Amino acid sequence: MKTTVRHSRGAYEVELTDLASVLGQLGGQDFVVTDENVRDAIRLASDHLAVQPGEGSKDVQTLGRVWEWLAGRADRSGRLVALGGGVVGDLAGFAAATYMRGIDLVMVPTSLLAMVDSSVGGKVGIDLPQGKNLAGAFWPPVRVLIPIDALRTLPARHFANGSAEVWKNGAALDERLFESLLAQPLQADAKNIAEIVFQCIELKKAVVEEDEFETTGRRAVLNFGHTVGHAIEQAMNYEGILHGEAVAIGMVVESRLAENIGVASPGVADTIQKGLQSQGLPTRIPGGLAAASLIEAMRRDKKARRNGLAFAFVSQIGTSKLIEGVPENDVLKVLENQ
Ligand code: GLY
């Protein structure tokens, strides 16, 4: 299965393939950045840089390590190959966008989350102590190679983590996908897993081709669940919670908020919560997180403006829109009642 994503500087192909074929294609001008878990799981033998797994590696220090590793090896004709999950893709992608003012980037996502979301669309970046993804760029890959067999080695928690973005696509963009997940939650060994990954890529492709630089509000709907989700991740210091888990909680909280302010039809939040629970994802804010600290983190969200917070809300399953200027008091009420 293959598709082509068009963008302002050209186009790239996204292809579903397998690990052996990806590794067999690597040549002398390919510089592989991965993480220690992926390296060990696939027994990577060729030259590479492996960073520590986890969101903590999306920081300035690790970015510096990648730049310096490249500086000893790659000239402008080199290709950086980001082999791993969302953290590796975002970090290595930002290194590719900035090393020698930009070198080619090949995304090889090995986690479900990276396959269905972060490897496509050109967003790359790192976190700052003040907030998630605060330094970054739009740097489209030259190719995305998806080794679907990598899902077999993905730990169950990380599979469920990635499934949150699949549920998000269904809830925000495609009612039929959502209904099919309600009927049968996603499983790594399901016969149709490749079709579902491909379906998510087609959904994302349509959105990013329409609003590549997130200026019209269209692309922002991919952030359903993320305003609250990012705030939870940040308030927990990225420890004890994975991105998709935080987004799952965020989808439910944001949907309750949307119902309260009359943007979503009654029942949307319960339907989404039921679905996410059936996938084994968390749907409640972890105890001990103060509502005020979450609001504080949301103020630093890139969508927030002076007149209030911004959310990508699902109004009914399959339909979503960006709403700006949401008063903090409305958000506080929902957070305090969770
Ligand atoms: N992950 C959301 C986006 O690519 O816009």
Side-chain angles (χ1 to χ4, degrees), residues 117 120 123 168 204 214 219 222-223:
D117 188 52
V120 173
K123 279 188 184 176
K168 176 203 78 178
K204 182 155 186 185
E214 204 168 312
R219 183 164 181 166
L222 296 173
N223 278 318

Side-chain angles (χ1 to χ4, degrees), residues 232-246:
I232 294 172
E233 286 184 272
Q234 206 200 325
M236 293 180 69
N237 219 6
Y238 307 101
E239 280 164 19
I241 192 145
L242 300 173
H243 175 68
E245 294 169 342

Side-chain angles (χ1 to χ4, degrees), residues 282-306:
T283 58
R284 289 192 172 278
I285 294 178
L289 285 189
S293 70
L294 295 175
I295 296 270
E296 181 70 34
M298 284 181 223
R299 283 194 199 122
R300 289 191 293 268
D301 180 83
K302 290 191 291 310
K303 295 184 294 311
R305 298 288 177 267
R306 276 208 187 143

